Amino acid sequence: MAGNLGDFVRLTPGDLKGAAAAGRPDIDRDALVGALRAYHTDLGTLDAHVEAQLTRLAHPASRVVVTGQQAGVLTGPAYSVHKGADAALLARQLHTDDAPVVAVYWIASQDHDAAEVASTALLDMSETLHHLTLELPQGRPVGRLPWTVEFTAQTLALLDAFDAPADYVSAVRQRLVTATTPGGSVADVFARLIHGLLGRAGVLVLDPLHPALARLMAPALARELNDPLASSARIEAAAGRLEAAGFTPQLRRPAGATNVFIEEDDGQRRLLRMDGRTLRTDTRDYLLPELLALLDADPTRVTPAAGLRPIVQDTLLPTLAFVVGPGEIAYGAQLTDVYPLHGLQQPLLWPRLSVTWLEPNVARLLTRLDATAAQVQADPDGVLGRSLARERGAAALARDRLASLEAQFTEIAREIGALDPTLTGAAERTLTRTLPRLERVQTLAVRALARQEDDRSGQLTRLKLHLLPDGEPQERYINFLTYLLKHGQTPLDMLLGLEPGWRGDVVIP
């Protein structure tokens, strides 16, 4: 590759000084604070912690560390909570009395891909993996989907079947009752759970579908509608530059595709396209004055696509840093030139912290195997098999054995070439054919050892269940509430005690 992804964003990751240098005096902080207060009032979460953060946000020099995620069931995979915690940690580090910094969690309530948020998984003390899947209709923003009494019954039934200490289960049950009893949407329940987990750490939740907040974002969407293909053209231009540098672009904008969705009269959210001079969705044509009138009458029905969402976010907020995952960094690499269309500069993209939780039994097993969680996630069979080979003194399976053979082969080829240069090629071909075959046989033997041990003790199955469930890294699959159910408040306290951007394993005592 001819560079790295950081070359395509305005600020290199970690440039907090550069991020703080550009203030945002243009933000109407009073209007923003008023809209957030109205939202938290309606959500039922306007408490002393929220008021304290709103007071900070009202300061004329305030800035925001923002993160966001789709409104997954019961907070979704663990990294959804990790992102919010990282925003809180970074805001805490950057905050001063003269320039307050507030953490904001942007809930992707406008997203209409219900399949991505409808399921979650929790692992109990008996190592039973519990799956919860809600029947959510497709095509409508999740912020429009009501949380039903049936959904509450499903979640409480899961807790009833969950093997964990009764007092910890009771505490999580109370969190769920607090989040679901007021009713509202699927996004509302997600917001209350995030608030319950991270509100004390200073995180403000934000739902862009709330009318008061949507009204503040309407000017950005009006600008986009008045030149609906400009942002798409810049995204495609960035895609070309990324491809030339050897990267695969995350965003593509087909001919005529805008970065605006319309929620139509049937409740479905559809992409707006431009065909010649005609604006249309899959169902009907629109005139620009009609769209602007819709935006004015109900701004919640005109919403940004992925190529515009961060820009709309940053027109609303005085963003200093945006806590993002790997996919969002890749998106950001295509959006640097979209920001100026709205009179903005791209904020700092801060790679989120990453935690793999090690419960005591897994931590002990990893110590015995002399391995990290990351090594297991990359090659679980290999980690266990090589550990067994070391225990049994099976030197033939050691990685350095192949390296030694390669060195010997290379020296033999050199000596043969010195005697007769016409044989150099034959010697080198023998080397390139033989070593990969030996490595393949070695790998098969290592995996065979791992399977034999798993049949006897279940060690490999246990490791995969905790660290690589269904083939996915733990934090992308297991719900964070898993650890509160089994270990109480400790994992949350440990998470909020990490350094911003921290990456690695955390052993739960």
Side-chain angles (χ1 to χ4, degrees):
M1 291 188 179
N4 61 71
L5 213 53
D7 297 333
F8 294 87
V9 296
R10 189 178 73 87
L11 296 169
T12 58
D15 186 6
L16 293 171
K17 183 177 181 180
R24 284 292 301 279
D26 56 319
I27 293 287
D28 186 343
R29 287 169 171 79
D30 290 341
L32 175 59
V33 167
L36 281 167
R37 181 174 284 112
Y39 165 60
H40 278 272
T41 298
D42 292 344
L43 191 64
T45 52
L46 187 65
D47 57 21
H49 302 289
V50 171
E51 286 289 6
Q53 297 308 310
L54 292 178
T55 298
R56 287 185 174 185
L57 189 56
H59 191 285
S62 70
R63 301 295 298 277
V64 160
V65 174
V66 62
T67 193
Q69 190 58 38
Q70 294 166 301
V73 172
L74 306 187
T75 71
Y79 74 83
S80 297
V81 176
H82 296 169
K83 290 172 81 173
D86 204 12
L89 295 170
L90 187 57
R92 182 190 306 166
Q93 175 180 302
L94 298 175
H95 171 79
T96 67
D97 290 340
D98 293 335
V101 181
V102 176
V104 172
Y105 198 114
W106 183 287
I107 298 159
S109 60
Q110 300 162 328
D111 195 344
H112 60 281
D113 191 349
E116 289 195 9
V117 302
S119 299
T120 195
L122 300 93
L123 183 65
D124 72 10
M125 300 288 282
S126 300
E127 298 186 324
T128 297
L129 194 60
H130 298 261
H131 291 91
L132 176 66
T133 300
L134 305 183
E135 291 294 329
L136 300 178
Q138 285 288 329
R140 296 177 58 200
V142 296
R144 306 290 197 201
L145 304 180
W147 182 274
T148 68
V149 293
E150 289 80 9
F151 294 164
T152 298
Q154 283 182 254
T155 60
L156 295 181
L158 185 153
L159 294 187
D160 289 340
F162 198 89
D163 180 19
D167 52 341
Y168 296 157
V169 173
S170 178
V172 172
R173 178 184 291 270
Q174 185 55 53
R175 287 185 184 275
L176 295 176
V177 170
T178 300
T180 60
T181 297
S185 70
V186 171
D188 289 337
V189 170
F190 178 91
R192 293 187 192 109
L193 286 170
I194 292 294
H195 170 77
L197 290 167
L198 301 174
R200 290 176 180 272
V203 174
L204 288 173
V205 291
L206 185 159
D207 184 340
L209 277 183
H210 188 271
L213 290 160
R215 178 67 58 191
L216 297 180
M217 292 179 278
L221 290 157
R223 279 193 300 273
E224 193 73 14
L225 287 171
N226 276 290
D227 193 357
L229 295 181
S231 59
S232 295
R234 295 195 178 192
I235 288 169
E236 275 299 297
R241 293 192 295 273
L242 284 167
E243 286 180 325
F247 296 100
T248 299
Q250 295 294 299
L251 284 173
R252 299 312 301 246
R253 306 313 293 153
T258 75
N259 282 296
V260 177
F261 277 92
I262 306 298
E263 187 179 342
E264 299 192 288
D265 291 340
D266 62 357
Q268 296 290 298
R269 184 174 182 248
R270 297 185 176 94
L271 184 66
L272 187 68
R273 293 180 170 83
M274 194 165 188
D275 184 3
R277 300 178 64 86
T278 302
L279 290 161
R280 60 167 51 116
T281 65
D282 292 338
T283 62
R284 55 161 296 190
D285 295 351
Y286 289 90
L287 297 174
L288 178 59
E290 182 182 9
L291 290 170
L292 293 174
L294 175 63
L295 179 62
D296 183 63
D298 185 357
T300 67
R301 292 180 58 185
V302 182
T303 54
L308 185 64
R309 195 203 67 76
I311 289 87
V312 171
Q313 164 189 285
D314 298 330
T315 63
L316 177 69
L317 301 172
T319 306
L320 187 156
F322 184 14
V323 177
V324 293
E328 291 163 311
I329 291 176
Y331 274 33
Q334 292 181 250
L335 302 183
T336 306
D337 292 339
V338 178
Y339 275 86
L341 294 174
H342 293 267
L344 298 172
Q345 289 184 315
Q346 187 179 49
L348 175 70
L349 301 183
W350 177 266
R352 68 168 173 83
L353 64 75
S354 180
V355 174
T356 299
W357 296 101
L358 301 184
E359 297 182 73
N361 60 335
V362 177
R364 288 192 295 270
L365 181 53
L366 288 176
T367 298
R368 190 159 73 247
L369 297 176
D370 190 26
T372 66
Q375 289 171 332
V376 171
Q377 289 168 338
D379 183 14
D381 299 71
V383 164
L384 179 57
R386 283 189 291 273
S387 175
L388 293 169
R390 287 193 300 271
E391 288 180 3
R392 299 179 186 184
L397 301 186
R399 282 176 166 173
D400 58 1
R401 191 70 177 272
L402 279 180
S404 174
L405 283 173
E406 183 175 13
Q408 292 179 53
F409 262 100
T410 301
E411 179 60 20
I412 290 171
R414 187 192 65 77
E415 291 177 4
I416 289 174
L419 294 171
D420 185 349
T422 65
L423 296 177
T424 299
E428 291 176 347
R429 286 192 297 274
T430 300
L431 171 63
T432 57
R433 285 197 302 265
T434 303
L435 282 180
R437 290 175 181 174
L438 281 174
E439 185 176 17
R440 173 63 177 163
V441 172
Q442 190 183 63
T443 298
L444 291 173
V446 165
R447 290 180 176 175
L449 276 178
R451 287 194 301 272
Q452 292 167 14
E453 177 62 23
D454 194 48
D455 289 341
R456 186 186 69 81
S457 66
Q459 287 186 4
L460 185 60
T461 297
R462 177 173 295 110
L463 281 172
K464 288 181 177 179
L465 189 59
H466 282 266
L467 303 177
L468 203 65
D470 285 348
E472 293 288 334
Q474 178 200 93
E475 70 171 348
R476 300 192 65 84
Y477 194 89
I478 298 293
N479 191 295
F480 181 76
L481 295 181
T482 285
Y483 307 105
L484 301 190
L485 284 161
K486 291 190 281 186
H487 304 283
Q489 185 75 8
T490 298
L492 183 58
D493 292 341
M494 296 178 76
L495 177 64
L496 293 171
L498 298 173
E499 292 295 317
W502 194 92
R503 305 182 69 81
D505 304 342
V506 173
V507 179
I508 303 173

